Amino acid sequence: MAFDERTEELAVKAAQGDQAALNELLGKIQPDVLRHTSRFLPCRQDAEEA
């Protein structure tokens, strides 16, 4: 998972309570997170929930 300046900026804003930044950040990292959780959880639905 590669983090760039935009990801860092979004993380800081999200930590400060910016809901739009949080939503954008989650959308940006979701594919990587799903890929990682799928390695540990055999059911895709469980991986998506995690």
Side-chain angles (χ1 to χ4, degrees):
M1 187 178 324
F3 293 107
D4 56 17
E5 287 182 31
R6 179 67 179 149
T7 304
E8 293 292 330
E9 178 184 332
L10 290 171
V12 169
K13 288 182 179 181
Q16 295 171 344
D18 185 330
Q19 188 65 44
L22 176 60
N23 291 338
E24 186 177 340
L25 177 63
L26 292 175
K28 185 172 183 167
I29 67 171
Q30 181 183 15
D32 288 328
V33 172
L34 183 57
R35 189 177 75 250
H36 290 292
T37 57
S38 293
R39 292 179 183 166
F40 301 104
L41 301 169
C43 177
R44 180 174 176 87
Q45 190 174 26
D46 289 343
E48 289 173 348
E49 187 175 316

